Amino acid sequence: MNMLNFATSWQRMLQKCGRIRSGHTYLTSAGLQRKATLALQLHTGKFCVPIMLNNGRSIGVRGLHLLTLASLTRTMQAGKRSNSRSSYFHTESASCFNRAFPEDRDSNGSSEESFLLNSNGRRVVAIGDLHGDFKAAVKSLQIAGVIEEDIPDMMTKDIMHKERANISLSEEELDGLFNFDEIEWTGGDTILVQVGDILDRGGGEIRIMALLHSLRFKAREAGGDVQLLLGNHEIMNMEGQAWRYVSPEAKVEANLYRQFEGQTASETNEDDYNRDTMYLPGYPMNAWISKNKCILQVDDTLFVHAGVSSEFIKPFIGYDKMHAYDAANKIISLYLQGRNDEASSFVPPKKYVYFEDLYWTRIYGGPAVDCKDLKEVLKYTNARRMVVGHTPQRKGINTKCDDRIWRIDVGMSDGVMGGYPQILEILPPSSGNESSVSILS
């Protein structure tokens, strides 16, 4: 029996025995005596979805979220890519695109930086889920006070029509879409945090990322920073689940970006610019996004896409190799790059680590929040509050548990509910006091 059939049969067996439920995959290493990567074949037949089990270390996923991708080079992708392309799976990362995404001059890798960031008296602003809405992203940046100029959305109906009619755009048109060199950072030493979910549901994903990438350089030159976190939609796209929420406009944008880079499908691996594959390990966009953190703490404020529960922390108690949040950043970054063996070495031995919380939990987004559990989580790093996105808030940014949890996903994307952009502003502590929080709109 080959690996795919074996894995599929095993999954069905576990479902029948009640070990896992449909839509949720819970795997442990009990009874497994050797290192193995099990590839579970999606019913669509398009992608291979591996789950890593490694000598007492296991990675939990919700549905097919947080998969590992090393076996792609040996299974579904075998024979599809050139030897040089598949070698990306064994190197640090693929090269970033060379125009809108030049190599970082400073590290932003989750495997290199601590989850802790000292503001040193700097102002912090936080932006919720953007989901491919370029106009909402620009408006958010203006409200945050980090850009002044209004950036028109150049993805007009005329351009969409031209692209779909297979008419090449002019250099000027392409430059207007993806080149943000002239946009100035006006935030001074402000630290900007975006809590994930830039991808999916809208057609401005690449332009949003290119804009934020450009602003990061300029912010750091001014003493500020731009920190981007991973959301569940970034995870899904790097898993190969782009088909779930990608919009037709996003596919158009991806093709236009190929033109912007000055390449045609015949000049390069067409999958580099295919919206269904461009975020997988080995492709240029993965090299940049996979290095974003999943957890960040600035002074006394903890930022994460969906949330952290005490259940996530427990396996790391007594684990002296590194802090739980640093380990999470490193493990997930490495896995998303397809570097499974390295990632598994940072999982606490013989522990089940439930990574779902960080991207998928709704425990902090609904009307009822377990404030006692939240308090325990915050106590772990002496944080005053947690800031999360993920669950759209119809009445805008709000707080619970005596201002210990702030929910900042206002559903601003037209692909979600078209909410008006709001920003969370956190001013640094003064004279020994706690930092202060306000909502900007």
Side-chain angles (χ1 to χ4, degrees):
M1 181 182 292
N2 64 35
M3 180 68 80
L4 292 177
N5 291 336
F6 169 71
T8 304
S9 299
W10 189 37
Q11 185 187 40
R12 289 173 181 166
M13 178 190 72
L14 290 176
Q15 286 175 335
K16 289 180 181 179
C17 294
R19 290 284 301 280
I20 61 176
R21 291 178 291 142
S22 178
H24 292 72
T25 304
Y26 299 103
L27 298 177
T28 67
S29 55
L32 194 68
Q33 300 301 315
R34 63 184 179 82
K35 182 188 296 187
T37 298
L38 300 181
L40 306 182
Q41 177 67 55
L42 286 179
H43 71 278
T44 61
K46 287 185 178 180
F47 296 101
C48 179
V49 183
I51 308 295
M52 166 65 78
L53 294 149
N54 184 11
N55 293 342
R57 302 182 177 95
S58 58
I59 299 297
V61 297
R62 181 184 190 275
L64 299 172
H65 313 304
L66 188 60
L67 81 150
T68 61
L69 289 157
S71 66
L72 281 174
T73 55
R74 299 187 301 274
T75 54
M76 300 302 291
Q77 297 297 320
K80 183 178 179 181
R81 302 179 183 176
S82 65
N83 291 333
S84 60
R85 171 62 58 184
S86 63
S87 69
Y88 281 138
F89 286 82
H90 308 290
T91 59
E92 181 70 20
S93 63
S95 298
C96 288
F97 289 147
N98 60 3
R99 293 188 66 188
F101 297 89
E103 296 287 350
D104 280 341
R105 291 192 285 266
D106 297 299
S107 171
N108 191 50
S110 58
S111 61
E112 302 297 333
E113 296 180 349
S114 169
F115 78 95
L116 285 169
L117 178 62
N118 192 328
S119 75
N120 292 316
R122 292 175 288 178
R123 168 180 176 259
V124 179
V125 291
I127 298 177
D129 304 31
L130 294 171
H131 281 302
D133 193 318
F134 184 78
K135 291 179 181 178
V138 170
K139 185 63 178 178
S140 297
L141 294 169
Q142 290 174 321
I143 294 171
V146 297
I147 65 171
E148 291 181 354
E149 186 176 348
D150 187 27
I151 310 172
D153 187 351
M154 300 300 291
M155 186 69 81
T156 62
K157 290 182 180 179
D158 180 56
I159 286 180
M160 290 280 288
H161 176 75
K162 281 185 180 181
E163 198 284 332
R164 285 174 172 166
N166 200 28
I167 300 172
S168 297
L169 302 187
S170 67
E171 288 189 14
E172 184 179 359
E173 287 175 312
L174 292 169
D175 222 42
L177 286 171
F178 300 108
N179 188 342
F180 300 106
D181 289 346
E182 301 303 318
I183 304 302
E184 296 297 326
W185 169 267
T186 61
D189 63 0
T190 295
I191 299 171
L192 169 68
V193 181
Q194 199 282 321
V195 297
D197 275 10
I198 293 175
L199 297 182
D200 289 336
R201 304 188 189 277
E205 311 161 321
I206 297 175
R207 283 168 291 153
I208 293 172
M209 291 188 292
L211 174 59
L212 292 173
H213 193 66
S214 175
L215 290 175
R216 175 187 290 165
F217 290 144
K218 298 163 186 174
R220 290 179 174 178
E221 289 172 353
D225 203 357
V226 174
Q227 291 280 337
L228 308 178
L229 302 187
L230 292 167
N232 59 303
H233 283 263
E234 280 75 44
I235 298 294
M236 283 191 290
N237 276 273
M238 287 186 281
E239 290 174 351
Q241 297 186 61
W243 49 271
R244 297 186 65 181
Y245 298 100
V246 65
S247 70
E249 292 78 13
K251 294 185 177 183
V252 170
E253 186 191 43
N255 189 51
L256 290 171
Y257 188 76
R258 173 183 57 76
Q259 294 182 38
F260 174 73
E261 288 297 329
Q263 294 178 313
T264 65
S266 62
E267 292 175 327
T268 185
N269 187 326
E270 187 173 356
D271 287 346
D272 281 358
Y273 303 96
N274 183 324
R275 181 56 183 79
D276 292 335
T277 57
M278 63 192 297
Y279 297 102
L280 293 176
Y283 293 106
M285 294 298 282
N286 176 284
W288 180 60
I289 300 177
S290 65
K291 292 184 179 180
N292 292 336
K293 295 181 178 68
C294 60
I295 306 176
L296 172 71
Q297 183 167 323
V298 183
D299 298 333
D300 57 0
T301 303
L302 186 66
F303 297 91
V304 62
H305 179 67
V308 181
S309 72
S310 60
E311 289 300 312
F312 174 80
I313 295 172
K314 286 177 182 177
F316 290 94
I317 295 176
Y319 179 63
D320 57 6
K321 191 168 187 176
M322 64 172 52
H323 192 282
Y325 297 164
D326 280 332
N329 283 337
K330 194 174 189 73
I331 290 166
I332 292 168
S333 176
L334 291 171
Y335 266 106
L336 292 174
Q337 295 172 55
R339 297 160 63 186
N340 298 353
D341 290 341
E342 292 176 71
S344 64
S345 68
F346 293 98
V347 180
K350 299 182 180 179
K351 297 288 186 180
Y352 181 90
V353 183
Y354 199 50
F355 286 98
E356 177 192 70
D357 283 359
L358 308 179
Y359 308 110
W360 284 100
T361 186
R362 302 285 182 184
I363 61 175
Y364 297 119
V369 176
D370 187 343
C371 297
K372 183 178 178 181
D373 192 69
L374 172 63
K375 189 175 181 180
E376 287 299 309
V377 173
L378 295 175
K379 183 180 178 181
Y380 185 59
T381 54
N382 295 316
R384 171 67 181 83
R385 67 186 66 84
M386 185 188 300
V387 177
V388 299
H390 188 50
T391 303
Q393 305 295 309
R394 293 191 175 276
K395 295 183 178 180
I397 292 177
N398 62 82
T399 182
K400 282 188 172 291
C401 301
D402 296 324
D403 295 342
R404 294 186 182 277
I405 183 71
W406 287 83
R407 292 95 70 88
I408 68 169
D409 178 6
V410 297
M412 69 179 82
S413 170
D414 281 343
V416 181
M417 61 185 192
Y420 190 80
Q422 289 184 315
I423 305 301
L424 196 70
E425 179 184 55
I426 305 170
L427 299 179
S430 60
S431 303
N433 297 325
E434 296 176 343
S435 55
S436 60
V437 181
S438 58
I439 300 171
L440 306 179
S441 59

